[in-house]
Amino acid sequence: MMKYLSLCILLGSTGVFAATDTFSASEKAHSLAQQHVIVDGHIDVPYRLQEEWVDVTVATEGGDFDYPRAKQGGLNAPFMSIYVPASLDNSKESTVLANRLIDYVEAIVGRAPDKFALATSVADVERNVEKGLISLPMGMENGSPVQGSLDTLKHFYDRGIRYITLAHSMSNHISDSSYDLRRQWKGLSPFGKDMVKEMNKLGIMVDISHVSDAAFYQVIDITKAPVIASHSSLRKFTPGFERNMDDDMIKALAKNNGVVMINFGSTFVDAGARAWRSKMSEKKKAVEKQFGKDSEQYKSFDEAYIAKSPFPFADLNIVLDHIDHVVKLVGIEHVGIGSDYDGVGDSLPIGLKDVSTYPNLVQGLLDRGYSDSDIKKILGDNLLRVWRDVENVANAS
C-alpha cells in the first residue's frame, strides 16, 4: 500500500492518467487462468473499504477488485491486506484499525458465502477451490498493531492473519523500514527478533517487503521457515530504490526456499516511472517552499504538472521482465505475483489494470516460452509451497 493514493485519484480524474489497455489474451491463456490456482500476495481491499464502503461482492465502478472481475481473471486466493498506516505506529488506534479491517473481510464473506470464504491454511484454499469459492486469506501490512506483545501476535493469528509485513514506511518497534533514513535498530529490534521466532512457532509467514536490507538479512539468519516478499519488485530495474530487492537478496531468499511476489505498480517496476514521480515531488516541494501549502500555486500544482508531463506508464512487458530475471537468477520456484491492486491507485501498468487481467499475464508468459507447469508455479503453487512449509515448521515446534 503506497501513500500516493490521493495523487493517483487526481491523476485519474484529470484524464491524463488514463491509458488504453492494448493487451489481449488467447483462449488458452484464459483457460490456464481458470484452471490453475491464482494466489495474489497483496490486495488492499480492506483499506479501500475503510476509506469508502462499497460492496465488492458485486460489480463496482471503482477500484481494482470485485467478485465479477476476480472470477473473470481466474483469481482464487487474494491475500487481503490488513494495512495500518505508519502514522498510527505506537498508538492503540493501530490495533483497533487492524481489527476493524479484519471485520471488513469477515463482512465480505458474510454478505456472500456463496462467493467468498475465509482461508487460514493451504487446505482451506484447496477446499474452497473445489467448492468454487474465492478464498480470502489475510496478511497484515505493518506489524505496528502487535504492540510489542506476543499475546497480541497470537490474537491476530487467531483472527486469521497468516503473514505480517514487519514494518511499513517508517521504522517501528519491530523493524527498520526501507523508506526510513533513521535506522534506529540497524535491522530488527530485540522484540522483532523474538517476534520472527514466534511467527515461526505459530505458522505466520514473515513478509520482508518494506523492511531495510539489514532487517532482511537478520530475518534470513533467524527464521526456521521460508519467508516471502508479498509485494516487492526488483532493484535491478529501479536502481537505488531500496524498497525493491537486489540480486543478492533474491539469492538469499531462494536459499531460504522463499518467494518474491512481483508488485505491478509502475513506479515499482520501471525506472522511468520512478524518476517521473521523484521529479514531480521535488518540484512540488519547491512550490511549497516558495508559496506555501495554502497557495493557489501549490493546490493546483499536481493537475498542472501532469497536464504538461503525463505519467509514463509501465506495461505488462516490464512486469514479465521482473519475473524473467528472478527465474534466470534463482529458478522458477521463487517468484509469484503480489499485484498491490487497490494499493497503488491508477499507476498500474498497461495490460494489468485490475484483477480481471491475470490472463494477460498468462499470455505474456506463454509468449516468452514458459510451460504450463511453470505458469502454474508462478500463479500460485510457489506461494502455497511456502505457506505449507511454514505450517509444517509450526506443527513441528
Side-chain angles (χ1 to χ4, degrees):
M1 183 76 174
M2 294 301 294
K3 301 285 90 55
Y4 49 94
L5 284 178
S6 60
L7 173 59
C8 292
I9 291 168
L10 169 64
L11 293 169
S13 68
T14 63
V16 297
F17 206 67
T20 302
D21 190 334
T22 58
F23 291 86
S24 61
S26 65
E27 183 177 338
K28 179 176 181 179
H30 281 283
S31 177
L32 290 176
Q34 297 295 328
Q35 174 185 339
H36 297 319
V37 176
I38 298 180
V39 180
D40 193 315
H42 193 91
I43 295 185
D44 277 294
V45 168
Y47 200 78
R48 171 186 166 196
L49 302 185
Q50 164 73 9
E51 294 186 322
E52 181 180 2
W53 178 265
V54 292
D55 185 359
V56 296
T57 69
V58 296
T60 61
E61 291 185 4
D64 308 323
F65 175 96
D66 56 41
Y67 179 77
R69 285 182 285 173
K71 290 296 286 185
Q72 182 181 347
L75 181 59
N76 301 102
F79 269 84
M80 296 286 98
S81 173
I82 306 304
Y83 161 67
V84 176
S87 58
L88 297 181
D89 289 357
N90 302 315
S91 73
K92 292 181 180 179
E93 180 57 28
S94 70
T95 306
V96 171
L97 177 58
N99 279 301
R100 185 184 308 134
L101 297 183
I102 293 171
D103 291 343
Y104 292 166
V105 178
E106 292 176 345
I108 293 170
V109 174
R111 280 173 174 262
D114 59 328
K115 298 176 180 177
F116 294 104
L118 297 174
T120 59
S121 67
V122 175
D124 284 346
V125 172
E126 292 171 342
R127 279 192 293 268
N128 292 336
V129 168
E130 289 297 318
K131 295 176 182 177
L133 301 173
I134 294 177
S135 293
L136 298 182
M138 290 181 283
M140 180 183 289
E141 185 178 19
N142 188 357
S144 171
V146 173
Q147 302 287 3
S149 166
L150 296 182
D151 288 339
T152 305
L153 177 67
K154 177 62 163 54
H155 161 80
F156 283 116
Y157 173 83
D158 290 341
R159 290 218 64 188
I161 294 298
R162 289 301 179 267
Y163 77 66
I164 296 178
T165 318
L166 301 181
H168 192 253
S169 59
M170 294 174 61
S171 173
N172 62 14
H173 73 282
I174 299 166
S175 174
D176 291 333
S177 165
S178 61
Y179 285 120
D180 195 340
L181 295 179
R182 302 167 301 160
R183 304 297 164 98
Q184 62 171 323
W185 305 117
K186 296 181 173 59
L188 299 175
S189 72
F191 174 78
K193 294 174 182 178
D194 289 339
M195 180 170 149
V196 169
K197 297 174 185 176
E198 190 67 18
M199 289 170 71
N200 285 173
K201 292 178 182 178
L202 289 172
I204 302 174
M205 290 178 281
V206 180
D207 178 18
I208 55 78
S209 290
H210 282 286
V211 305
S212 68
D213 288 8
F216 165 79
Y217 284 110
Q218 288 171 20
V219 167
I220 293 296
D221 287 341
I222 293 169
T223 185
K224 294 182 179 179
V227 305
I228 65 170
S230 70
H231 59 306
S232 294
S233 301
L234 310 185
R235 211 174 298 175
K236 171 182 171 61
F237 300 92
T238 56
F241 185 36
E242 190 178 343
R243 170 66 177 80
N244 280 344
M245 300 183 71
D246 69 20
D247 285 4
D248 288 338
M249 296 169 77
I250 297 164
K251 291 175 183 177
L253 187 75
K255 188 175 181 181
N256 164 264
N257 206 28
V259 61
V260 53
M261 310 184 78
I262 302 301
N263 189 313
F264 292 172
S266 289
T267 59
F268 283 85
V269 296
D270 183 72
R274 282 218 61 75
W276 180 94
R277 186 169 186 273
S278 295
K279 184 175 181 181
M280 180 181 178
S281 296
E282 289 173 6
K283 290 185 175 295
K284 188 172 184 178
K285 286 178 182 177
V287 169
E288 178 185 356
K289 184 176 181 180
Q290 182 177 359
F291 298 103
K293 282 190 173 182
D294 293 330
S295 68
E296 184 58 34
Q297 291 92 331
Y298 182 83
K299 292 177 181 178
S300 63
F301 175 83
D302 289 353
E303 187 169 352
Y305 184 87
I306 296 159
K308 293 180 180 179
S309 178
F311 182 76
F313 282 95
D315 69 24
L316 168 62
N317 287 303
I318 187 66
V319 175
L320 293 168
D321 289 345
H322 283 249
I323 293 172
D324 283 350
H325 185 70
V326 178
V327 173
K328 291 174 183 175
L329 190 67
V330 296
I332 193 71
E333 293 81 10
H334 304 290
V335 64
I337 52 177
S339 63
D340 215 349
Y341 283 136
D342 278 329
V344 289
D346 290 329
S347 72
L348 289 159
I350 300 167
L352 292 171
K353 290 298 185 182
D354 62 31
V355 294
S356 71
T357 60
Y358 297 109
N360 289 348
L361 183 72
V362 174
Q363 184 65 55
L365 293 169
L366 288 170
D367 292 344
R368 293 191 181 204
Y370 285 87
S371 68
D372 288 4
S373 61
D374 287 343
I375 292 170
K376 186 172 185 282
K377 290 177 181 179
I378 294 168
L379 292 180
D381 275 11
N382 288 339
L383 187 279
L384 293 177
R385 182 201 75 241
V386 170
W387 191 357
R388 190 177 289 108
D389 286 350
V390 171
E391 292 176 338
N392 290 337
V393 168
N395 290 335
S397 297

